[in-house]
Amino acid sequence: WVTRWVSGQWRNKKRPPRLCPPRTLALADKVANRREQPTEATCITEMSVMMACWKQNDFNDVPCAKEIRMFYDCVAKAEKQHRNPNEDSLTFRGNLPSSKVNKLLQRFPQMTRYV
């Protein structure tokens, strides 16, 4: 009915159908715990470059020292980001993690009864 309403079919003095939600429209007291870490793997490009260098040089570490160092630097940087996330900032997509949402919902609970 929303598409008909937007397109103008309800403008000729016809009203859109009334929405009757089955429950009251209120936030829940908590949200489900979701994985807060991104699911993508890190340092894949550096690892593939390092393995390609190993394959070209018969798995000898000496000619591939630059690629190995780049891979280890990437791994160290990813571990540092994993261990010290900025607690006050939002995640990379701009969403709050479920733990922070639950803390906010506990601080500001829904009022279901009026005194």
Side-chain angles (χ1 to χ4, degrees):
W1 72 267
V2 174
T3 56
R4 290 183 292 199
W5 182 55
V6 172
S7 67
Q9 289 183 359
W10 299 111
R11 292 188 186 144
N12 300 333
K13 296 191 178 187
K14 293 182 181 177
R15 293 183 176 219
R18 212 173 117 205
L19 289 178
C20 297
R23 288 180 257 152
T24 58
L25 297 176
L27 292 175
D29 292 332
K30 64 180 180 177
V31 295
N33 288 328
R34 301 282 183 204
R35 180 179 290 182
E36 297 177 6
Q37 300 171 357
T39 56
E40 68 226 21
T42 55
C43 304
I44 293 295
T45 9
E46 287 84 357
M47 184 172 61
S48 62
V49 168
M50 179 183 68
M51 290 184 160
C53 181
W54 275 344
K55 188 175 181 181
Q56 288 176 352
N57 296 309
D58 294 326
F59 298 96
N60 190 1
D61 286 345
V62 176
C64 301
K66 179 182 173 187
E67 288 82 1
I68 294 170
R69 190 181 76 247
M70 286 175 50
F71 174 68
Y72 282 132
D73 290 345
C74 180
V75 169
K77 182 179 177 184
E79 283 181 359
K80 183 178 179 184
Q81 282 182 344
H82 178 71
R83 288 182 185 165
N84 299 327
N86 193 352
E87 291 293 322
D88 295 333
S89 69
L90 300 178
T91 58
F92 66 96
R93 284 189 267 151
N95 296 331
L96 286 173
S98 59
S99 60
K100 289 184 182 180
V101 172
N102 283 332
K103 286 179 185 176
L104 284 173
L105 287 173
Q106 286 175 359
R107 282 181 58 193
F108 305 103
Q110 293 293 314
M111 292 181 61
T112 55
R113 296 182 184 174
Y114 295 101
V115 179

